[in-house]
Amino acid sequence: MLRVSLRSLLGRKVRLLMSTFAIVLGVSFVVGTLVFSDTLQRSFDSIFASSAGDVVVRPDGQGGGPPGSRTVPGDVVDELAALPGVARADGQVGSIGVYVIDTDDRPVGGFGPPALGQGWSDAPAVDGREGLVIVEGRAPEGPEDVVLDTRTADRAGYSLGDTVPIQTPGEQARVEPTLVGLADFADGGSLNGATLAAFDPVTAQQLFLGGQDAWTEVWVTAADGVSQDELVEQVREVIGADLEAVTGDEAAESNAADLQEAIGFLETFLLVFAGVALVVGAFLIVNTFSILVAQRSRELALLRALGASRRQVTVSVLVEALVLGVLGGTLGLGLGILLAQAMAALFAQVGLDLSGQPLVIAARTPLAAYSVAVLVTVAAALVPALRTGRIAPVQALRDDVALPESSLRRRLVVGLVLAVLGGAALVVGLFGDTAHAGWVVGGGVLAVLLGVTAASPLLSMPLLAAAAALFRRVFGTVGVLAGQNTLRNPRRTAATASALMIGLALAGTMSIAGASASASVDQQIEDSFVGDYVVTNVFGGPFSPSVAEALVDVEGVDRVAVERYDVARLEGDFAFVGAVSGEDLDLLGLELLDGSRPPSGDREVLLAEQVADDADVRPGDTVVLEVPGGEQEWTVAGTYAANPVVPATALVSPEAFSGRAGFADQDRMLVVFGDGTAADVLGERIDEVLADQPTLAAQDQQEYAEVQREPIEQLVLMVFALLGLALVIAVLGIVNTLALSVIERTREVGLLRAVGLGRGQLRRMVTLESVAISVLGAVLGVVLGVLFGVVMMTALRDEGLEVISVPWGQLGVYLVLAVVVGVLAAVLPARRAARLDVLQAIATE
């Protein structure tokens, strides 16, 4: 039986390789995601390893976040250097939002990876590791010198001796030092798209700390024979209560914490779409094996008649699936490695440059490739394999052998049960208060999709009957034949359409989500936009307070409202903590809710309404904020309605922002109010002030709305690109089903040709069948997409997405594209059918 299985497999290799290709695509996405994330993880090792000394002294509670306004006094360095277990102590100065301007007067990088600035230091990192070293030129020695990392210098177009314009978030907004050195990692690592500008320590203190004799942190290097634990105990005995000392390993881990979380999210995000591709691929495999087993019914019945047991026949089909799974895993592994390189190239376009890193293929990657390939293929072949066991040996004596199938009524019942359970899970996950809501929603979506798939043979009958009637009226005899062929086996037609249905259901959901989010943003900005212009950093980063001071002096400007905000955690959840003066709150149109007042002093916080509801707090309650100043309790002064012009989720007073909270003195947004001067004239004057800072832009209401919509549109486009893989597999499924259907009906095709059906008519018949399958999948997918999208956006109304917008035009395009897909998918099968030799086709058994 094993030899028979392998011989059967080789005899149908072309047909089965088409279905294997679907699994190859799905597996390659899993492999590509794992290789890319492992490479990304490894690529940061050199950065993290060099991000801390043996012991790091920093302001208490700062953790691994960006530098704030709190610093380490300068005299601490000498005190630490005098300890018996210390080889040396080095003050470090660091900042973000330090942009290198290239030769075309454009900022280098900016999106994603940060723009870093620091004081140059040759202090050794943990365990004596070397971090950045000068590979060309020299270290900076005065206020006119700067060192860039090699990739930034290359991207910006600078070489040693050139003047480099640099925009900083400090009081001195723009400097133009001379490039005196190029730096790189000693071990061949890279900054992964981040940019670095290094100054001498005194200049860095002047630029980033306002000239204080202080440091953002101090690295303490252990003497020979002294461990990190021993050294940190010595250091803790001499530092003040407002400072903390941690080992280098702990510091590196905390520095990496947020990035590790981001990498984990990215990996999960990509793996979700790999799962979608695998589910769609599984439909193709199930359909293919069902058709192939049905075509081999007589052969399998003969095997039973010759003495093969039911178990042997079933196992023979599963052996074929196992071999294909291994083959698909091998091909998917190779394609996945290429896909990982493509992912790296794609992310390099948005700033995450991994060009200096070799791909990392961990042991889990091939294990995942073969496990997924074999499990999906064998599971997909299981139902057709079990069905073969029900073939009676006596059927081998008949001319026509029918493969036993479950009743459509039973499938309808199973489908309805799954759909109801899935709908209930959706309601609980979206509207209920449950842990792991994302998994509940995902399970609900999958259950609904599987339920509709199970019931689709009956659900599709009215649509297929309508298509048959339309074909008969428009195309005559050819239309009658095409309509009858689609209705002949509704299971196969519906199963093929289901793969397309899943892809378009998710695409429709994302279309509604994207359109609703964009419409909600537009409405919020229209309702709340104040002033004439908003000035922000185009990369979302901070900028110098001197910009606001310069704008106040512009002719035609009446008032400039200043907003500051930065990343923090509120009750353990991600949040933006902002600062706006009390008088500017009214100016910006911020609506304070009942019992609320502007925060005053250094211990009061104002919360966005939804944030307060989620934390279940009211005015007078306390909340815990994790800020650069540490983990602190703040009193809730009140709540306010969401406002896109004040994007912070929590507000404190400006004094508390840079005082107790410890955030840096850097602005994030300016709202400019004119004195009645024409808007275009005022805009030109503002642009003149911002001319030497290309990362800043002044936007009116329409421009600001466009900028706010851009991330939403980019995310939707990325999702569509990923869903494209599932749609490619679905199209392959249609091609495969039609090709196998033509093979199955070889004799029928020959008879039709013999009685006068022309080649063009035959091609038209196969094309109409393909269009019917595609439109069926598109209609079911669009209906489900609208259902999922409306339900999801209804659940998100409390998150500020108050407008539900259904892009009917875009959904209509999906239906038109379904017709195009049907026509294109039928090209090869229709061509093969038309080229069949009539006499040989009639003689086929």
Side-chain angles (χ1 to χ4, degrees):
M1 286 300 298
L2 181 60
R3 286 197 298 270
V4 170
S5 298
L6 295 177
R7 186 173 300 168
S8 172
L9 181 65
L10 292 175
R12 297 170 175 84
K13 53 183 179 292
V14 175
R15 284 173 276 168
L16 288 176
L17 280 176
M18 289 184 65
S19 59
T20 306
F21 187 54
I23 294 300
V24 170
L25 289 177
V27 170
S28 67
F29 211 145
V30 174
V31 170
T33 299
L34 294 177
V35 172
F36 175 75
S37 59
D38 287 341
T39 302
L40 187 63
Q41 180 73 54
R42 179 74 60 83
S43 70
F44 283 102
D45 286 349
S46 57
I47 299 177
F48 296 146
S50 61
S51 67
D54 291 329
V55 168
V56 175
V57 177
R58 61 196 182 193
D60 185 35
Q62 181 169 297
S69 63
R70 299 173 66 236
T71 56
V72 180
D75 57 8
V76 170
V77 175
D78 293 334
E79 188 176 357
L80 294 174
L83 292 174
V86 174
R88 58 186 287 185
D90 298 88
Q92 306 284 347
V93 180
S95 180
I96 60 173
V98 182
Y99 298 95
V100 175
I101 310 302
D102 67 15
T103 54
D104 294 324
D105 201 33
R106 295 177 303 187
V108 178
F111 289 111
L116 305 174
Q118 69 176 44
W120 180 259
S121 174
D122 61 356
V126 178
D127 298 329
R129 297 190 186 103
E130 279 193 300
L132 284 166
V133 297
I134 300 294
V135 295
E136 188 176 350
R138 60 174 175 83
E141 298 173 352
E144 300 301 321
D145 295 349
V146 70
V147 167
L148 302 180
D149 67 281
T150 55
R151 285 179 175 79
T152 298
D154 183 61
R155 290 161 65 189
Y158 294 120
S159 56
L160 294 181
D162 290 342
T163 298
V164 181
I166 296 176
Q167 185 174 317
T168 81
E171 289 292 338
Q172 194 172 352
R174 184 178 174 112
V175 295
E176 296 188 354
T178 300
L179 181 60
V180 299
L182 300 177
D184 211 338
F185 282 96
D187 62 358
S190 77
L191 289 169
N192 298 336
T195 62
L196 175 69
F199 305 84
D200 76 279
V202 175
T203 301
Q205 288 175 325
Q206 185 66 42
L207 291 175
F208 309 139
L209 301 180
Q212 299 180 63
D213 180 19
W215 311 98
T216 52
E217 61 185 24
V218 176
W219 289 11
V220 184
T221 304
D224 292 341
V226 179
S227 69
Q228 289 186 26
D229 292 333
E230 293 171 340
L231 182 60
V232 79
E233 291 301 324
Q234 290 187 33
V235 171
R236 286 171 179 166
E237 291 178 2
V238 299
I239 61 175
D242 58 340
L243 302 176
E244 67 173 355
V246 295
T247 64
D249 292 338
E250 292 172 340
E253 183 177 345
S254 65
N255 290 340
D258 289 340
L259 183 61
Q260 303 284 13
E261 185 176 339
I263 292 174
F265 171 79
L266 179 61
E267 181 178 353
T268 302
F269 181 75
L270 293 173
L271 285 175
V272 165
F273 287 94
V276 172
L278 286 171
V279 169
V280 176
F283 275 97
L284 174 53
I285 296 294
V286 169
N287 213 26
T288 300
F289 270 93
S290 296
I291 297 172
L292 290 175
V293 170
Q295 292 176 358
R296 295 172 55 202
S297 297
R298 185 177 179 86
E299 173 191 330
L300 296 173
L302 284 170
L303 291 174
R304 292 293 313 279
L306 293 174
S309 67
R310 175 180 298 186
R311 180 173 177 273
Q312 285 178 310
V313 172
T314 301
V315 169
S316 71
V317 177
L318 292 178
V319 167
E320 295 180 20
L322 177 63
V323 172
L324 287 173
V326 173
L327 177 61
T330 303
L331 296 175
L333 181 61
L335 184 59
I337 294 172
L338 296 177
L339 184 60
Q341 292 178 321
M343 287 182 180
L346 174 64
F347 279 90
Q349 300 303 311
V350 295
L352 186 57
D353 186 6
L354 301 178
S355 58
Q357 301 295 327
L359 292 180
V360 176
I361 304 175
R364 66 169 183 163
T365 300
L367 180 63
Y370 287 108
S371 297
V372 168
V374 171
L375 288 176
V376 170
T377 309
V378 172
L382 184 60
V383 172
L386 292 176
R387 202 175 291 159
T388 62
R390 299 204 297 268
I391 299 176
V394 70
Q395 290 182 283
L397 303 177
R398 301 177 184 171
D399 290 333
D400 185 22
V401 182
L403 195 65
E405 292 186 341
S406 59
S407 73
L408 292 180
R409 183 175 300 175
R410 186 186 308 168
R411 291 186 57 150
L412 178 63
V413 172
V414 172
L416 290 177
V417 170
L418 280 174
V420 169
L421 292 177
L426 278 174
V427 172
V428 171
L430 291 172
F431 299 96
D433 183 13
T434 180
H436 307 296
W439 291 104
V440 175
V441 170
V445 169
L446 182 60
V448 171
L449 290 174
L450 292 177
V452 173
T453 299
S456 59
L458 275 178
L459 295 177
S460 65
M461 294 297 286
L463 289 173
L464 293 177
L470 178 64
F471 291 164
R472 181 176 63 253
R473 179 167 299 181
V474 176
F475 298 99
T477 303
V478 172
V480 172
L481 292 172
Q484 290 177 346
N485 286 334
T486 57
L487 288 167
R488 179 188 301 177
N489 194 333
R491 287 183 180 84
R492 180 186 304 172
T493 302
T496 306
S498 294
L500 187 60
M501 174 194 75
I502 293 173
L504 287 180
L506 298 177
T509 301
M510 289 307 304
S511 296
I512 293 173
S516 299
S518 295
S520 297
V521 167
D522 287 344
Q523 178 175 298
Q524 289 174 358
I525 292 176
E526 182 178 352
D527 293 343
S528 59
F529 193 88
V530 293
D532 294 285
Y533 286 93
V534 168
V535 176
T536 61
N537 187 319
V538 295
F539 301 129
F543 53 89
S544 172
S546 63
V547 177
E549 298 170 3
L551 289 177
V552 170
D553 297 330
V554 172
E555 182 182 356
V557 172
D558 178 59
R559 180 84 176 271
V560 177
V562 179
E563 298 180 36
R564 294 179 174 180
Y565 47 90
D566 219 322
V567 177
R569 288 191 178 273
L570 191 153
E571 297 292 343
D573 293 328
F574 178 86
F576 275 116
V577 173
V580 181
S581 66
E583 56 186 12
D584 284 346
L585 284 179
D586 293 333
L587 198 65
L588 295 174
L590 195 73
E591 180 187 356
L592 298 182
L593 303 181
D594 294 340
S596 302
R597 55 184 172 77
S600 60
D602 64 352
R603 293 185 179 274
E604 290 188 339
V605 62
L606 200 63
L607 299 180
E609 181 182 16
Q610 186 59 43
V611 174
D613 289 342
D614 291 343
D616 194 23
V617 294
R618 298 292 179 268
D621 293 343
T622 60
V623 292
V624 176
L625 286 177
E626 296 177 44
V627 291
E631 189 174 291
Q632 305 169 350
E633 284 193 353
W634 293 65
T635 301
V636 178
T639 57
Y640 60 92
N643 185 329
V645 185
V646 186
T649 50
L651 291 172
V652 300
S653 68
E655 298 77 19
F657 184 81
S658 56
R660 181 176 180 234
F663 291 108
D665 288 327
Q666 298 166 352
D667 297 340
R668 289 273 185 166
M669 181 182 292
L670 307 175
V671 180
V672 181
F673 295 83
D675 62 1
T677 302
D680 56 342
V681 175
L682 181 60
E684 290 176 0
R685 293 173 182 172
I686 294 175
D687 288 340
E688 289 177 5
V689 175
L690 305 179
D692 64 342
Q693 300 193 63
T695 64
L696 302 185
Q699 303 153 353
D700 59 19
Q701 178 177 331
Q702 181 179 352
E703 292 168 336
Y704 185 67
E706 290 174 357
V707 170
Q708 299 306 304
R709 289 196 305 268
E710 188 175 352
I712 299 171
E713 293 167 354
Q714 288 178 342
L715 177 61
V716 171
L717 285 175
M718 182 178 291
V719 171
F720 282 160
L722 295 172
L723 285 174
L725 178 65
L727 295 176
V728 167
I729 297 173
V731 173
L732 286 175
I734 297 173
V735 174
N736 206 30
T737 298
L738 289 173
L740 294 173
S741 178
V742 168
I743 295 172
E744 183 180 19
R745 292 181 289 158
T746 298
R747 187 176 185 185
E748 175 188 324
V749 169
L751 290 172
L752 289 173
R753 293 277 285 112
V755 297
L757 192 69
R759 289 185 175 181
Q761 292 176 306
L762 183 59
R763 282 194 293 265
R764 197 174 305 126
M765 180 189 76
V766 176
T767 300
L768 289 175
E769 292 178 37
S770 179
V771 169
I773 293 172
S774 299
V775 172
L776 173 62
V779 170
L780 292 176
V782 167
V783 170
L784 288 177
V786 171
L787 174 64
F788 292 155
V790 170
V791 170
M792 182 175 71
M793 298 315 298
T794 301
L796 294 176
R797 277 183 178 273
D798 292 338
E799 303 295 332
L801 301 175
E802 299 178 354
V803 180
I804 298 178
S805 175
V806 180
W808 294 111
Q810 191 172 359
L811 298 179
V813 170
Y814 293 163
L815 295 176
V816 173
L817 288 177
V819 176
V820 176
V821 165
V823 173
L824 295 178
V827 171
L828 292 178
R831 183 183 179 190
R832 187 185 189 285
R835 294 175 64 182
L836 286 175
D837 182 272
V838 176
L839 295 179
Q840 289 182 356
I842 295 174
T844 301
E845 293 186 2

